[in-house]
Amino acid sequence: MSPQIEAIENRLNPLREQLKNHELYAALKTLDHVKTFTEFHVYAVWDFMSLLKSLQMQFTCVSTPWVPAADPSIARFINEIVHGEESDLNEKGEPNSHFEMYLDAMREIGASTDSIEHFITALRNGASVAEAMDKADAPKAAQDFVNYNFSLIEAGKAHEIASAFTFGREDVIPDMFIAILDRSSTSEDSYVKFRYYLDRHIELDGDEHGPIALKMIEKLCGSDEQLWSEASEIAVTSLEKRIALWDSIYASL
């Protein structure tokens, strides 16, 4: 681990601990609570892919005529994550994106997918992200979370997008999901799809995607202290946004 990564990790430790020990997890005591959680969180599952695709568009060739990537190592990092997130295998061994797995998990526990499905339909029909969330009546906290990440995507600064992706998502997802599994005291034990989704994320993000994403940050920032400083600020804000989303979900239970 580079000194710069270590410095960011140390700076994030209090926020990571706050997130890891958030009162939301212990509050997930009934099936209705888990349903509410997923109806908010599904928007974060969705916009994760947009952060990833933004990086893929910048660092791999996704148009014709094809030309080689400027940095094959970053291209490989990103494509490995895309493969795992967009074309993984579900609990039946069928190809599925993690977003689609999450929707299936929501349906299995009886959570409403109406809002997120209306959102996707609006996007397919040409609406902007903000317009689509309005049309879908997405939870306000989910809208705030998504709008922040899309402000980074629209600004187009690769190291900032990568920082939000890495420190606000990939690097912290195992902690969050382990906490959900360990601390929720739901009596129902039939969430096969939901538990598969959580276990799969813990496996991929902790063992594979998290370390790959950290290497990507190191490549993008290099020896430029300004880039490292900006990446650090984005990392902090991204975790604060995640905590704010968790606060809102907790308040709605």
Side-chain angles (χ1 to χ4, degrees):
M1 181 184 297
S2 71
Q4 295 93 337
I5 291 288
E6 187 173 1
I8 293 175
E9 295 280 16
N10 288 337
R11 185 180 181 189
L12 294 179
N13 277 340
L15 290 171
R16 286 176 64 104
E17 284 302 307
Q18 186 178 345
L19 190 57
K20 187 176 180 179
N21 297 295
H22 199 285
E23 55 195 345
L24 169 64
Y25 308 126
L28 296 174
K29 294 180 179 178
T30 69
L31 183 57
D32 284 341
H33 291 159
V34 177
K35 290 178 185 179
T36 298
F37 171 84
T38 63
E39 289 163 11
F40 279 76
H41 181 241
V42 68
Y43 280 92
V45 175
W46 173 82
D47 90 337
F48 165 86
M49 285 303 302
S50 292
L51 288 170
L52 177 56
K53 284 296 181 178
S54 177
L55 291 170
Q56 189 180 35
M57 289 170 66
Q58 290 201 43
F59 294 106
T60 75
C61 185
V62 291
S63 61
T64 56
W66 178 85
V67 295
D71 189 322
S73 62
I74 292 180
R76 179 177 176 83
F77 296 158
I78 294 169
N79 283 333
E80 285 185 3
I81 296 174
V82 169
H83 177 261
E85 297 288 344
E86 191 172 38
S87 305
D88 202 5
L89 299 176
N90 66 15
E91 80 285 356
K92 297 179 180 179
E94 302 165 339
N96 247 181
S97 69
H98 284 194
F99 173 73
E100 291 164 309
M101 289 185 202
Y102 200 87
L103 289 184
D104 284 344
M106 290 178 68
R107 296 182 186 109
E108 180 184 56
I109 65 174
S112 174
T113 60
D114 289 348
S115 175
I116 191 67
E117 289 184 33
H118 290 159
F119 171 69
I120 296 296
T121 297
L123 291 178
R124 291 188 193 279
N125 290 335
S128 69
V129 171
E131 291 170 343
M133 287 191 294
D134 284 340
K135 289 177 183 293
D137 196 24
K140 175 63 165 54
Q143 293 194 40
D144 291 344
F145 187 83
V146 170
N147 284 334
Y148 170 70
N149 287 304
F150 267 82
S151 72
L152 299 178
I153 290 171
E154 289 163 6
K157 296 181 179 179
H159 64 293
E160 293 186 348
I161 298 168
S163 182
F165 176 87
T166 300
F167 297 109
R169 300 303 187 80
E170 293 292 283
D171 195 38
V172 77
I173 279 173
D175 283 347
M176 291 192 305
F177 284 170
I178 287 169
I180 291 174
L181 286 175
D182 289 347
R183 297 189 182 189
S184 64
S185 55
T186 51
S187 58
E188 300 85 353
D189 194 32
S190 60
Y191 313 153
V192 176
K193 294 180 184 292
F194 189 51
R195 289 189 177 276
Y196 179 85
Y197 172 87
L198 295 181
D199 288 339
R200 186 64 176 145
H201 253 287
I202 290 167
E203 176 186 357
L204 282 178
D205 294 340
D207 297 340
E208 298 178 27
H209 292 176
I212 290 172
L214 290 174
K215 290 179 182 177
M216 178 174 60
I217 291 285
E218 291 179 344
K219 292 282 290 186
L220 290 176
C221 293
S223 59
D224 190 319
E225 290 305 315
Q226 180 63 30
L227 296 184
W228 279 111
S229 176
E230 291 172 357
S232 181
E233 291 302 320
I234 293 298
V236 168
T237 303
S238 294
L239 283 191
E240 289 173 344
K241 294 291 185 181
R242 173 72 68 166
I243 291 168
L245 176 62
W246 261 216
D247 289 344
S248 294
I249 298 174
Y250 176 73
S252 71
L253 295 180

